[in-house]
Amino acid sequence: MRLALDEAGRAATGGDVPVGALVLAADGTTVLSTGHNEREATGDPTAHAEVLAIRRAAAALGEWRLTGCTLVVTLEPCTMCAGALVQSRVDRVVYGARDEKAGATGSLWDVVRDRRLNHRPEVIEGVLADECARLLTGFFRAR
């Protein structure tokens, strides 16, 4: 999560909401990719930290299935990102701060555990939650 927090800091430097993510390989230690929000920097509404990290991990592996991989992200994924997690077959999602306004892995919605879908990753929430939340709160207070 500390690496994801570093990525989140890069997002804030570029004027984006400070969310950072990384994808770990099936061994649980090798970092396949990183990402941070780049919507403002690129003008791309899909440039969320999770989506970018997933794309880059797939490129690193040479395939779209991220079976065995773990996505670590500082903020609970939104519906778009939760859908990307299901579609990419990530095995587990680890996140820091809950997102009561747009979260889709347990708070507002629970897309990733919907029994109607063909893949349901494990969800681990609250890792360094206070630190992740403070980064976001500080960003929005400064705006």
Side-chain angles (χ1 to χ4, degrees), residues 6-19 36-43 47 135 139 143:
D6 290 344
E7 281 295 314
R10 289 182 185 88
T13 300
D16 275 284
V17 176
V19 177
H36 57 268
N37 278 358
E38 295 182 20
R39 291 183 307 167
E40 298 297 330
T42 63
L135 184 62
F139 174 82
R143 290 181 93 183

Side-chain angles (χ1 to χ4, degrees), residues 4-92:
L5 280 162
D6 290 344
E7 281 295 314
R10 289 182 185 88
T13 300
D16 275 284
V17 176
V19 177
L22 58 97
V23 175
L24 297 173
D27 66 9
T29 59
T30 303
V31 177
L32 291 175
S33 65
T34 61
H36 57 268
N37 278 358
E38 295 182 20
R39 291 183 307 167
E40 298 297 330
T42 63
D44 178 356
T46 68
H48 288 205
E50 303 95 320
V51 170
L52 296 174
I54 288 168
R55 288 178 185 161
R56 293 169 184 157
L61 289 175
E63 65 174 303
W64 65 268
R65 287 179 189 87
L66 301 181
T67 306
C69 294
T70 299
L71 179 113
V72 179
V73 62
T74 57
L75 180 65
E76 180 182 0
C78 69
T79 54
M80 176 181 68
C81 295
L85 291 164
V86 170
Q87 292 300 316
S88 65
R89 309 301 195 267
V90 166
D91 274 12
R92 119 192 8 85

